Amino acid sequence: MRPLPQWSTVAVDPPQQVVTATLRWGGNSADVTADHTVASLNPLVIATSIDAGQRAVLEYHDRASGRLLGVLRLVQMAAISAENTSLTLYHVAAGGHRCLVWPRRSWNAWLQNRLMLKNLATNHLNTDPAAVQKLMIAYLCPRPVVLVSVDAPGRQNIFPMDLIGPLERSGFFSLALRSTNVSVPTMLEQRKVVLSSMPAATKAVVYKLGAHHKEPLTNWDALPFAVRPSRAFGIPAVAAALRVRELAIVHSQEIGLHRFFLCRVVSDEALVEGAQLHHTGGFHQAYRLRQGMPLTEI
Ligand SMILES: Cc1cc2nc3c(=O)[nH]c(=O)nc-3n(C[C@H](O)[C@H](O)[C@H](O)COP(=O)(O)O)c2cc1C
């Protein structure tokens, strides 16, 4: 028996509407579909604009049926303040999902964990199987993939990210990037990045650019697609992007193995309508297949 794939690459019209996220605490609740992001993978930390107290629960529901798909149990870690606005960081203490029926749920997790432990040396996530299981629940809301451009004299780069997102109520946009990424020093110095939302059909080229997490880009002309200067910063963005956003970095801090950047959106150009490349959990796609409504796999 083989486990389900951990991740599924899918085409979704942005912003994704298939799954909603609800934060619940002490008799209160709030829709955080566009107000929670991953701040760090190890430990697994979620950021939100809402202060939901010491303990809260994050629920993911299928929007069409209202069915509960998964739950993360959160414990408050710290608050972050930037530009007179505060955010809350929550450690993910526990989690569970209902995408597979018992006993397949436990059996699949056991098979996935066994494979992860076997591949530990090449496991790019650098985190333990229990944290990856919880991360797959956080990916029940399909996460959009963008290419991030950074530019400084002689230190340009473009690489894929999906640990990104708006924190709606605060107006911030966050990015969680491994501290070892070659572009972190450039981002800390320049305090500017450009995000190109990538069409679903560009999967192969996007994955190839994953190499630029480790090696900077030698020359913008070396890319296999056309770029054009972004509106205010003049940083090269993908010419065929669905949407291009320029972000000013206003705060950053290390959380575990990641650097968590808080940004303000300086410009936002919606260029073309179309499906964007997204990631979701493999068990989420298995659930949708069983319901006869799979997301389009790329
Ligand atoms: C589509 C895609 C999205 C990614 N998103 C992120 C991200 O949001 N944050 C991050 O730190 N790394 C991201 N990565 C990079 C990888 O997780 C990993 O850091 C990279 O391949 C280098 O791995 P290593 O330094 O552990 O060897 C992404 C890679 C791909 C292909």
Side-chain angles (χ1 to χ4, degrees):
M1 271 283 282
R2 291 161 69 93
L4 287 168
Q6 288 175 20
W7 313 109
S8 179
T9 317
V10 290
V12 179
D13 288 344
Q16 74 80 23
Q17 304 282 335
V18 288
V19 174
T20 57
T22 309
L23 193 64
R24 293 194 193 280
W25 72 103
N28 301 301
S29 73
D31 184 332
V32 290
T33 310
D35 203 340
H36 80 290
T37 59
V38 173
S40 147
L41 292 186
N42 189 7
L44 182 57
V45 177
I46 301 276
T48 173
S49 308
I50 294 175
D51 181 350
Q54 272 309 304
R55 284 173 191 276
V57 172
L58 187 54
E59 291 179 356
Y60 295 96
H61 288 91
D62 174 24
R63 190 185 290 269
S65 64
R67 208 182 131 144
L68 181 67
L69 299 178
V71 171
L72 293 176
R73 300 202 175 276
L74 310 179
V75 176
Q76 193 173 119
M77 273 177 68
I80 304 180
S81 286
E83 298 192 318
N84 299 322
T85 309
S86 64
L87 293 177
T88 319
L89 296 179
Y90 283 96
H91 171 62
V92 179
H97 74 86
R98 296 187 182 174
C99 292
L100 305 174
V101 287
W102 191 87
R104 191 169 178 219
R105 189 159 55 212
S106 321
W107 178 231
N108 180 63
W110 187 83
L111 289 172
Q112 283 181 329
N113 293 352
R114 192 179 64 161
L115 197 62
M116 276 187 254
L117 289 171
K118 209 171 122 194
N119 298 336
L120 210 55
T122 50
N123 176 0
H124 286 305
L125 285 170
N126 255 348
T127 186
D128 61 290
V132 177
Q133 291 292 343
K134 289 182 263 182
L135 183 65
M136 286 187 264
I137 296 165
Y139 272 74
L140 282 169
C141 272
R143 307 211 66 87
V145 177
V146 296
L147 286 181
V148 178
S149 311
V150 298
D151 201 18
R155 279 179 299 136
Q156 62 279 7
N157 208 1
I158 187 162
F159 53 89
M161 283 192 79
D162 65 357
L163 297 175
I164 61 158
L167 294 163
E168 203 173 40
R169 291 171 182 82
S170 67
F172 288 124
F173 193 100
S174 77
L175 312 172
L177 189 56
R178 282 281 294 278
S179 303
T180 50
N181 183 293
V182 286
S183 295
V184 167
T186 317
M187 289 164 69
L188 292 173
E189 180 195 294
Q190 298 288 315
R191 310 197 82 75
K192 288 181 214 163
V193 291
V194 174
L195 268 50
S196 302
S197 297
M198 296 307 288
T202 60
K203 177 184 170 182
V205 91
V206 166
Y207 270 71
K208 228 170 167 186
L209 293 181
H212 292 312
H213 279 274
K214 286 183 178 165
E215 298 159 23
L217 178 71
T218 48
N219 189 328
W220 290 109
D221 296 334
L223 291 170
F225 47 75
V227 291
R228 59 156 184 94
S230 68
R231 204 151 69 183
F233 300 161
I235 295 176
V238 179
L242 302 173
R243 180 178 185 183
V244 171
R245 277 168 287 189
E246 296 180 297
L247 306 182
I249 297 169
V250 296
H251 173 89
S252 96
Q253 69 184 70
E254 278 198 342
I255 306 177
L257 301 179
H258 282 73
R259 185 154 279 271
F260 182 56
F261 292 96
L262 284 178
C263 313
R264 289 283 181 202
V265 179
V266 171
S267 78
D268 186 351
E269 290 178 87
L271 301 167
V272 212
E273 285 195 4
Q276 186 174 350
L277 190 61
H278 280 71
H279 286 146
T280 194
F283 52 63
H284 179 211
Q285 177 69 335
Y287 163 80
R288 292 196 164 268
L289 273 164
R290 221 176 52 244
Q291 301 296 314
M293 48 172 197
L295 299 170
T296 308
E297 206 135 351
I298 309 290

